[in-house]
Amino acid sequence: MGIITTDMIDATTAAVSEFWDQGMAQKVDFKAKLYNEKPTDLLQENFQGIGAIGQMSDWKGTVDYQQFNLGFNKGFVQAKKSTGLQFDERVFRYREYSQLEEKTGLLLDSVYNTQQAYGAATFENAFTAAYVGPDNVSLCNTSHPNSPSDAAVQSNVGALDLTMPNLLTTFKKMSQLKDDKDNLLFLQPNMLITGIEYWDVAKKICGPDANGKEPGTADNDPNLMQKELTYFYHPFITGKKWFLVDSQRMKRRLKWFNGRIPTPEHQNDFDTEAIKYKIVGEWVAGWTSWEWVYGNIA
């Protein structure tokens, strides 16, 4: 049949792209449900935090222009990652699509798992001292300073097991968090996030029976969280960690920037006749402030 031709490569490359697109479409994109995801053409995205501006003032003949304190700076520097495979040219020449599909699936799983684990790291490392945010402490911490000019601190961390009473305790604590002008933030905790460790408990708390009762209690008590809380399960969160979240603020504060979307690229090696497929991606994620979450690790 002779040497592999451009038409053969084009045909099999189209097949690889189709396998890739179909496979990704069938995956659950957990990061997209948590982060404010945007493209970028910058190696580093920078954010200057600002403090609260307070509530509106009574009209006194002119607009009352508010003053605010500068917050913490946050830089998002792109991370570059790669993976790849090599195929013997006969895979293409004989159009062995089943082998292409299987190996493309391996690449797809590698990219998918890498990105989802990267997205989960914000929660997985939320209590880790070395994994810090703009205020130089971990996401869930006892010592969040109000601003660079105000050393007073607040806490958004606990060590409670996930139970309905402990959830209510955390709910109340979160509702009392304040801005840098000592006003209540008026947070609306409406999402519970866990990994597999608390999956069953979280489902019971957020998934009452048809009568709106709390499963598992002696008298089948009314479920106070039935209309207040949704459950988000993330398989890459490990251990006894759980997070109460204001989902609207989370979407504003959790940032994900795509510098280069991972997609298959190929090249033919002249000497070995191998066809190389590479996947290269660049992205960065993180948070610009912490007040949207209250975490517990038991």
Side-chain angles (χ1 to χ4, degrees):
M1 293 182 61
I3 299 299
I4 187 171
T5 66
T6 300
D7 288 344
M8 294 176 187
I9 294 178
D10 289 344
T12 48
T13 297
V16 168
S17 296
E18 184 178 355
F19 297 149
W20 183 271
D21 292 341
Q22 289 178 351
M24 276 299 182
Q26 293 170 2
K27 298 277 192 183
V28 177
D29 190 359
F30 293 93
K31 64 179 174 59
K33 298 175 183 294
L34 298 173
Y35 289 85
N36 182 358
E37 189 172 356
K38 296 180 179 180
T40 183
D41 58 1
L42 300 176
L43 178 61
Q44 177 169 322
E45 291 274 357
N46 295 301
F47 280 81
Q48 171 63 66
I50 59 173
I53 62 173
Q55 297 184 27
M56 299 176 72
S57 303
D58 293 332
W59 180 259
K60 296 178 181 179
T62 185
V63 173
D64 181 17
Y65 289 96
Q66 299 277 354
Q67 300 295 318
F68 57 82
N69 298 318
L70 289 178
F72 295 94
N73 292 315
K74 172 64 177 178
F76 294 83
V77 182
Q78 293 284 314
K80 188 172 184 178
K81 299 180 182 295
S82 68
T83 187
L85 288 174
Q86 294 189 95
F87 295 92
D88 187 281
E89 61 87 18
R90 287 172 295 183
V91 172
F92 292 80
R93 184 148 48 92
Y94 293 112
R95 295 175 175 82
E96 295 183 355
Y97 290 153
S98 60
Q99 185 177 158
L100 282 172
E101 183 174 10
E102 181 179 355
K103 291 186 177 180
T104 300
L106 295 176
L107 285 177
L108 186 146
D109 288 342
S110 175
V111 171
Y112 174 80
N113 290 344
T114 300
Q115 287 201 315
Q116 300 307 323
Y118 190 97
T122 294
F123 298 91
E124 182 69 3
N125 298 309
F127 311 96
T128 303
Y131 201 82
V132 302
D135 58 1
N136 207 37
V137 297
S138 59
L139 177 61
C140 297
N141 199 282
T142 59
S143 302
H144 287 290
N146 284 336
S147 73
S149 60
D150 183 355
V153 299
Q154 297 187 82
S155 173
N156 69 334
V157 65
L160 301 175
D161 195 21
L162 180 56
T163 64
M164 179 63 83
N166 289 342
L167 178 65
L168 293 174
T169 296
T170 300
F171 189 95
K172 291 174 182 177
K173 287 182 177 180
M174 189 173 181
S175 69
Q176 296 304 303
L177 292 175
K178 297 182 178 181
D179 62 29
D180 63 315
K181 292 189 175 180
D182 204 37
N183 296 315
L184 287 175
L185 285 164
F186 294 110
L187 297 170
Q188 299 179 48
N190 63 350
M191 180 182 286
L192 176 62
I193 300 175
T194 81
I196 193 62
E197 188 71 28
Y198 282 126
W199 179 85
D200 55 340
V201 178
K203 291 287 284 185
K204 290 178 181 178
I205 289 174
C206 299
D209 66 19
N211 297 315
K213 302 298 183 179
E214 180 188 343
T217 56
D219 299 316
N220 206 22
D221 299 331
N223 189 341
L224 300 179
M225 291 295 179
Q226 179 182 3
K227 296 182 179 179
E228 304 293 333
L229 209 59
T230 60
Y231 176 47
F232 187 93
Y233 162 67
H234 201 308
F236 285 84
I237 297 175
T238 64
K240 291 190 172 183
K241 307 180 186 81
W242 59 278
F243 305 89
L244 190 58
V245 166
D246 180 325
S247 63
Q248 185 181 42
R249 283 180 178 258
M250 176 181 69
K251 271 287 192 174
R252 288 162 51 193
R253 307 306 190 195
L254 277 185
K255 308 290 187 180
W256 183 293
F257 295 101
N258 286 309
R260 182 176 178 179
I261 301 293
T263 53
E265 301 175 71
H266 75 277
Q267 187 175 46
N268 186 13
D269 186 276
F270 180 80
D271 291 318
T272 66
E273 295 191 338
I275 310 298
K276 298 179 180 179
Y277 270 84
K278 70 176 183 179
I279 314 289
V280 180
E282 293 184 69
W283 63 82
V284 61
W287 66 95
T288 57
S289 66
W290 58 271
E291 82 287 344
W292 51 272
V293 60
Y294 205 111
N296 280 273
I297 180 168

